């Protein structure tokens, strides 16, 4: 198996994408934050003491998608041309879905994953005064399109 971020001497390097043509690329990631019933009730009623948790988490996720090259040392700086972060209240968790789009030389999977994880962290930060046991689970890419490898999708396994 060839590792694209290792040269022939085994040294890590950033893959050169200069010669690649920009194409439209999309990636979607999902994750969940498991919360107590008290937090889920407070989220539904809008009574979490720190304020609008879902709005803060959404903005945190969008902001994070644009900062991936600062966080991941071998990630390319690309244009994040679209980013949607959606939060859905389920019975005992909040489902977070992030879809990121670009027209660039490399994909946006890391941007989508980062958006979900930072949105989840923001949510936990906002509810930790009510529920210190909240945690992140089941985070992964569920779809991608564009680029050399084309389209791909899956469903994350149930928890």
């Amino acid at each position: 198996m060839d590792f694209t971020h290792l040269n022939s001497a085994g040294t890590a390097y950033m893959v050169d994408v200069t010669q690649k043509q920009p194409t439209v690329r999309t990636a979607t990631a999902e994750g969940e934050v498991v919360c107590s019933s008290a937090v889920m009730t407070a989220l539904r009623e809008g009574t979490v003491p720190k304020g609008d948790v879902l709005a803060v988490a959404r903005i945190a996720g969008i902001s994070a998608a644009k900062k991936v090259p600062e966080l991941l040392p071998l990630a390319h700086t690309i244009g994040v041309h679209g980013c949607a972060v959606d939060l859905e209240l389920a019975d005992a968790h909040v489902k977070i879905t992030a879809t990121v789009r670009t027209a660039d030389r490399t994909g946006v999977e890391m941007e989508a994953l980062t958006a979900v994880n930072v949105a989840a962290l923001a949510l936990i930060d906002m509810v930790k005064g009510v529920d210190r046991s909240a945690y992140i689970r089941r985070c992964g890419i569920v779809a991608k399109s564009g680029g050399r490898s084309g389209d791909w999708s899956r469903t994350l396994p149930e928890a």
Side-chain angles (χ1 to χ4, degrees):
M1 178 186 314
D2 291 330
F3 293 101
T4 59
H5 287 79
L6 296 178
N7 65 17
S8 59
T11 304
Y13 76 105
M14 179 184 249
V15 174
D16 185 349
V17 296
T18 307
Q19 298 301 317
K20 292 175 77 174
Q21 292 301 308
T23 61
V24 174
R25 299 159 185 265
T26 303
T28 300
E30 291 178 356
E32 297 173 349
V33 175
V34 178
C35 301
S36 68
S37 60
V39 166
M40 294 308 298
T41 298
L43 288 170
R44 284 188 185 86
E45 295 174 356
T47 58
V48 176
K50 286 192 175 181
D52 190 343
V53 174
L54 302 182
V56 170
R58 185 175 299 110
I59 295 301
I62 292 168
S63 296
K66 299 186 287 183
K67 294 190 176 292
V68 166
E70 296 172 35
L71 302 169
L72 302 176
L74 300 179
H76 293 88
T77 300
I78 61 171
V80 173
H81 299 127
C83 182
V85 177
D86 298 309
L87 294 99
E88 177 186 333
L89 302 179
D91 289 336
H93 68 273
V94 178
K95 179 180 176 184
I96 303 169
T97 304
T99 299
V100 180
R101 291 179 49 86
T102 192
D104 219 315
R105 291 177 170 87
T106 190
V108 285
E109 293 90 348
M110 294 303 101
E111 287 75 6
L113 283 167
T114 301
V116 167
N117 278 284
V118 172
L121 290 169
L123 192 153
I124 289 172
D125 183 48
M126 296 284 287
V127 303
K128 69 184 178 202
V130 180
D131 179 9
R132 294 213 177 270
S133 67
Y135 64 94
I136 302 167
R137 73 173 181 196
R138 294 176 13 95
C139 185
I141 296 292
V142 295
K144 71 158 288 291
S145 65
R148 184 190 57 199
S149 61
D151 298 352
W152 177 87
S153 67
R154 72 168 172 180
T155 301
L156 291 177
E158 291 299 318

